[in-house]
């Protein structure tokens, strides 16, 4: 029989699984506690009997990411490159804000969305991450840094809504009251805007923050930057955002990476303001993070200021995101790419 991936299991499921092994269901809670403390071996579960630890070892796998590389920025941002059991790599970023420590996790190895400014898209999708591998990023980042994690953003490598079932399971695991118990309102899920999946997520009525990577208010520009837009266009996406808000009561926020001469004109700002005002959402402006493999350039400060002022002047709530980790390979996918080039395993 194939071994089960224990870090992907909810305590309720663990209770059933160990009952089959002739163990008392209450042990499941103890095991789940240990798993959420980031143990690397069943032997570390010291309040369990030796025979039970052996049974667990025989019946379950315990995934532990291996630290391959770590970069620390002057601003305290730490970027981790983890190697998974099958030798694929993913990145995790830890950001220290006044309101708490935020960990940005990857949800896939690679990505098949093909956004033209994003390092993660190069090379396409390799595979989905398991819930245990998403948990592993949170747990081992906390363990390595010695910092408590209060917020999670699903904004690393991959498209979370392209791996929705596993992401939903991860959310249950990380939110569980017997585990890390991170509140849904402390979690942000970022998507390039998959309409059907936004509706599916809405049906679960989870109180996380949905962040949509909009990057352009018109189909011509958005089709070029975010190929997934070609399916239904901006109108279908904004309609899905409105349904999401109506269903969950949570305002959607919109990411907008400012790219010189591509999406930063005053006309585009006016068009964006109209779209976003209709949804009651918020715009997060990010200066494009230039990456070695792509030719697009960030907008200059004058354009950026004019753009954000145009939005504000039209009643849109705007933040210009402070870019952390500028002195390290901060944009998602960069560290993994650099390692590939230097002849690392993935
Ligand atoms: N697939 C999801 C989450 C991963 S990308 C999504 O598209 O939202 C996380 C965010 O970083 C997205 O808003 C994405 O558009 C943005 N991003 C990717 N590459 C970037 C770059 N070079 N500069 C600025 N933002 C970038």
């Amino acid at each position: 029989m194939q071994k089960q991936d224990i870090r992907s299991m909810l305590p309720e499921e663990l209770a059933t699984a160990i009952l089959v092994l002739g163990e008392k269901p209450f042990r499941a809670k103890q095991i789940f506690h240990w798993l959420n403390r980031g143990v690397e071996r069943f032997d570390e579960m010291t309040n369990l009997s030796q025979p039970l630890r052996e049974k667990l070892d025989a019946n379950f796998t315990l995934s532990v990411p291996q630290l391959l590389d770590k970069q620390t920025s002057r601003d305290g941002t730490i970027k981790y490159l983890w190697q998974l059991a099958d030798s694929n790599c993913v990145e995790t970023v830890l950001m220290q804000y006044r309101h708490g420590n935020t960990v940005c996790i990857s949800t896939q190895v690679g990505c098949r969305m093909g956004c033209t400014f994003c390092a993660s898209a190069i090379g396409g999708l390799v595979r989905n991450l398991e819930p245990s591998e998403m948990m592993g990023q949170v747990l081992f980042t906390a363990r390595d840094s010695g910092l408590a994690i209060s917020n999670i953003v699903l904004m690393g490598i991959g498209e979370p809504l392209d791996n929705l079932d596993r992401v939903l399971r991860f959310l249950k695991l990380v939110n569980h009251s017997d585990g890390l118990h991170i509140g849904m309102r402390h979690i942000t899920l970022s998507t390039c805007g998959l309409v059907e999946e936004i509706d599916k997520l809405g049906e679960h009525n989870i109180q996380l923050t949905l962040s949509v990577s909009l990057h352009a208010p018109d189909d011509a520009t958005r089709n070029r930057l975010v190929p997934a837009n070609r399916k239904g266009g901006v109108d279908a996406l904004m309609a899905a955002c409105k349904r999401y808000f109506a269903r969950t009561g949570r305002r959607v926020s919109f990411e907008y990476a400012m790219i010189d001469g591509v999406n930063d004109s005053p006309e585009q700002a006016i068009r964006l303001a109209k779209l976003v005002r209709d949804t009651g959402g918020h715009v997060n402006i990010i200066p494009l993070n230039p990456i070695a493999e792509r030719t697009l350039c960030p907008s200059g400060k004058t354009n950026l200021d004019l753009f954000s002022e145009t939005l504000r002047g039209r009643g849109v709530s705007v933040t210009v995101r402070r870019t952390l980790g500028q002195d390290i390979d901060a944009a998602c996918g960069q560290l993994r790419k650099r390692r590939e080039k230097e002849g690392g395993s993935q």
Side-chain angles (χ1 to χ4, degrees):
M1 208 181 73
Q2 215 194 345
K3 287 189 180 185
Q4 278 181 289
D5 173 6
I6 200 165
R7 229 189 273 284
S8 286
M9 294 171 77
L10 289 157
E12 303 77 61
E13 295 163 336
L14 262 171
T16 313
I18 62 166
L19 196 62
V20 176
L21 300 178
E23 293 291 336
K24 298 268 187 325
F26 79 90
R27 295 278 177 210
K29 198 164 169 167
Q30 291 175 319
I31 298 169
F32 194 67
H33 273 157
W34 284 114
L35 293 173
N36 280 283
R37 287 174 63 179
V39 291
E40 297 183 20
R41 289 172 296 109
F42 291 109
D43 261 347
E44 290 176 59
M45 301 184 174
T46 47
N47 59 355
L48 305 183
S49 68
Q50 188 60 33
L52 173 53
R53 289 186 237 164
E54 282 167 20
K55 264 193 227 173
L56 293 177
D57 198 33
N59 288 278
F60 299 96
T61 57
L62 181 57
S63 75
V64 180
Q66 301 300 318
L67 183 61
L68 271 191
D69 198 358
K70 177 173 152 182
Q71 295 182 347
T72 305
S73 162
R74 281 188 295 274
D75 61 32
T77 300
I78 310 174
K79 185 145 188 170
Y80 292 92
L81 184 69
W82 302 108
Q83 185 165 47
L84 307 171
D86 64 356
S87 88
N88 278 305
C89 295
V90 289
E91 293 172 22
T92 309
V93 183
L94 175 66
M95 293 159 290
Q96 301 181 50
Y97 294 108
R98 269 188 299 275
H99 62 265
N101 301 316
T102 299
V103 66
C104 172
I105 65 158
S106 298
T107 54
Q108 296 180 313
V109 180
C111 183
R112 61 183 178 134
M113 296 298 128
C115 299
T116 47
F117 51 87
C118 179
S120 302
I122 303 164
L125 177 68
V126 178
R127 70 168 174 88
N128 286 317
L129 289 189
E130 293 301 323
S132 58
E133 294 170 321
M134 301 179 215
M135 280 305 293
Q137 294 175 65
V138 178
L139 294 168
F140 291 97
T141 296
R143 207 171 177 174
D144 179 85
S145 64
L147 297 171
I149 306 298
S150 48
N151 303 286
I152 296 179
V153 296
L154 284 77
M155 261 193 204
I157 298 172
E159 167 50 52
L161 295 189
D162 190 35
N163 189 16
L164 182 58
D165 289 346
R166 292 180 188 83
V167 163
L168 286 169
R169 175 171 279 269
F170 161 74
L171 293 171
K172 277 190 193 149
L173 286 164
V174 83
N175 176 240
H176 203 288
S177 55
D178 292 337
L180 295 181
H181 204 188
I182 295 184
M184 286 297 178
R185 286 175 182 244
H186 292 259
I187 302 178
T188 297
L189 183 153
S190 180
T191 176
C192 68
L194 305 182
V195 169
E196 280 170 33
E197 284 75 12
I198 291 176
D199 282 330
K200 271 191 208 152
L201 182 66
E203 281 164 21
H204 290 269
N205 197 6
I206 300 170
Q207 292 298 295
L208 52 68
T209 300
L210 179 67
S211 171
V212 171
S213 302
L214 192 57
H215 304 315
D218 57 283
D219 282 331
T221 316
R222 194 162 196 272
N223 285 346
R224 181 180 154 202
L225 296 175
V226 183
N229 190 64
R230 290 176 196 151
K231 200 167 173 194
V234 171
D235 286 348
L237 174 56
M238 298 313 284
C241 292
K242 281 185 205 162
R243 289 192 293 275
Y244 188 87
F245 178 39
R247 177 76 204 238
T248 63
R250 302 286 291 159
R251 288 179 196 282
V252 175
S253 75
F254 297 95
E255 303 289 308
Y256 203 95
M258 299 281 296
I259 311 174
D260 188 40
V262 176
N263 65 358
D264 60 351
S265 73
E267 297 73 44
Q268 282 162 319
I270 293 166
R271 211 158 158 176
L272 177 64
K274 188 170 176 330
L275 283 182
V276 171
R277 239 192 355 237
D278 282 356
T279 66
H282 171 92
V283 176
N284 245 321
I285 287 185
I286 332 157
L288 180 80
N289 214 325
I291 56 174
E293 296 83 352
R294 303 287 200 209
T295 51
L296 301 166
C297 298
S299 303
K301 188 170 171 356
T302 317
N303 265 6
L304 203 144
D305 290 346
L306 182 64
F307 198 91
S308 47
E309 281 317 310
T310 307
L311 291 175
R312 284 197 189 101
R314 282 169 165 71
V316 175
S317 121
V318 182
T319 43
V320 178
R321 198 193 285 162
R322 202 159 53 100
T323 46
L324 295 180
Q326 282 279 294
D327 52 334
I328 57 177
D329 290 315
C332 46
Q334 288 190 26
L335 200 57
R336 176 170 164 263
K337 280 290 140 200
R338 193 159 59 83
R339 180 131 194 133
E340 266 179 22
K341 266 202 208 144
E342 289 169 2
S345 47
Q346 256 291 326

